[in-house]
């Protein structure tokens, strides 16, 4: 996700390596709610950044494939993934309060 934002939850004793980015405590970070309502590459917390509900997801990648993921938390662990897909055409997704939605090569107009 180039130039995209993400949530990351770190626990005591864990190590985290980040290259080419900046990290802020979530309470100090700027809002990621798009002013134009167009959600593009990035990770969004449902209920905070994007309302819960059903959305049409549009493929925007020049590669003909995007990535969509819904997770239970922001730990970025395989066990947290509720659903994910390599999207090759426009599709629909339903997200619930406190889930995390990750878009890559896709967009949602709210």
């Amino acid at each position: 996700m180039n130039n995209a934002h993400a949530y990351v939850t770190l626990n005591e004793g864990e190590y985290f390596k980040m290259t080419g980015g900046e990290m802020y405590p979530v309470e100090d970070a700027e809002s990621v709610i798009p002013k134009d309502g167009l959600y593009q590459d990035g990770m969004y917390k449902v209920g905070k950044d994007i309302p819960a509900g059903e959305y049409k997801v549009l493929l925007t990648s020049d590669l003909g494939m995007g990535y969509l993921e819904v997770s239970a938390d922001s730990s970025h662990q395989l066990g947290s993934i509720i659903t994910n897909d390599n999207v090759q055409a426009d599709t629909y997704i339903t997200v619930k309060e406190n889930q995390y939605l990750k878009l890559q090569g896709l967009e949602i107009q709210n």
Side-chain angles (χ1 to χ4, degrees):
M1 295 187 308
N2 293 339
N3 297 322
H5 55 276
Y7 287 87
V8 178
T9 298
L10 301 174
N11 296 305
E12 187 74 33
E14 289 181 330
Y15 292 92
F16 180 76
K17 181 178 179 180
M18 183 176 67
T19 307
E22 297 180 45
M23 183 175 252
Y24 307 92
V26 72
E27 62 271 5
D28 296 339
E30 291 183 28
S31 173
V32 297
I33 301 171
K35 291 183 181 7
D36 61 2
L38 185 63
Y39 291 83
Q40 297 176 310
D41 288 2
M43 185 177 188
Y44 303 93
K45 185 171 184 179
V46 180
K48 180 180 188 306
D49 305 320
I50 188 170
E54 182 180 29
Y55 294 95
K56 183 174 185 179
V57 180
L58 305 174
L59 179 63
T60 58
S61 172
D62 293 337
L63 302 174
M65 183 173 16
Y67 179 70
L68 173 69
E69 178 180 301
V70 178
S71 297
D73 57 45
S74 59
S75 67
H76 297 267
Q77 300 294 317
L78 287 175
S80 296
I81 296 174
I82 295 168
T83 187
N84 66 341
D85 195 12
N86 290 312
V87 178
Q88 296 180 339
D90 296 350
T91 189
Y92 289 87
I93 188 73
T94 300
V95 290
K96 297 177 182 175
E97 196 81 16
N98 294 318
Q99 292 179 332
Y100 290 83
L101 172 65
K102 187 184 298 183
L103 303 172
Q104 186 174 356
L106 304 168
E107 67 184 24
I108 291 173
Q109 180 68 53
N110 187 17

